[in-house]
Amino acid sequence: MADDAGYYSIRFGADPVQLAFFRAGLDRWLQGLSWPEEARVDAILAVSEACTNAVKHAYVGGVPGDVEVVGRLVAGPSSRQIVVTVRDEGVWRPDQGATGYGMSVMKGCMDRVSIRRDDAGTTVTLRSVPVPLPHSSPEGMAAVE
């Protein structure tokens, strides 16, 4: 679900096929917010990487599970950002010696990236780089934290 007031939410089964549908929805939300193209592509890439990691790694042994993505728009006096959380309820597995580029991609595309792991799963929080306010601001934007 997405709205022009600054909120996006989707929950999908941890299945690689579902990633395409998620990305299309996130793209529509950002376009509805008049997000600048370069920042929009970076956000889609970073959030997609976090979701792909959850799909590939969270649910060991074929145990079915979901991935939840929640995004919100945060606006200040001269710029705005999106804050997106990607959650799974899987089990964190220590690095098996394989070195991927997922964290580098997320950090290169976003202003801040944090990961919290606990018994309930993993939560990745991504904050975009600030972008200018649009000419006409959407209603319902939260104040910058």
Side-chain angles (χ1 to χ4, degrees):
M1 175 181 89
D3 65 38
D4 293 333
Y7 182 75
Y8 174 81
S9 177
I10 187 171
R11 186 175 187 96
F12 59 93
D15 177 342
V17 173
Q18 297 297 318
L19 291 170
F21 298 114
F22 141 73
R23 280 191 289 267
L26 181 64
D27 188 35
R28 279 191 304 278
W29 177 58
L30 292 171
Q31 286 185 32
L33 296 174
S34 300
W35 213 251
E37 173 132 5
E38 184 176 333
R40 182 174 56 83
V41 170
D42 281 351
I44 291 168
L45 180 60
V47 176
S48 182
E49 179 62 32
C51 289
T52 299
N53 286 343
V55 166
K56 285 178 146 182
H57 304 295
Y59 301 102
V60 182
V63 174
D66 290 335
V67 177
E68 179 183 39
V69 181
V70 176
R72 64 186 170 91
L73 180 64
V74 180
S78 62
S79 65
R80 59 200 173 127
Q81 294 175 288
I82 56 166
V83 177
V84 180
T85 57
V86 177
R87 294 183 182 99
D88 66 61
E89 297 169 348
V91 176
W92 179 262
R93 293 184 286 172
D95 186 5
Q96 303 292 319
T99 54
Y101 296 100
M103 280 302 296
S104 296
V105 167
M106 288 186 278
K107 287 180 177 180
C109 292
M110 302 300 269
D111 188 44
R112 281 190 260 163
V113 177
S114 65
I115 300 175
R116 189 187 87 234
R117 304 170 195 106
D118 57 30
D119 292 339
T122 302
T123 301
V124 178
T125 302
L126 306 121
R127 180 180 283 267
S128 72
V129 296
V131 301
L133 292 171
H135 290 36
S136 60
S137 299
E139 296 293 320
M141 286 195 257
V144 169
E145 300 172 344

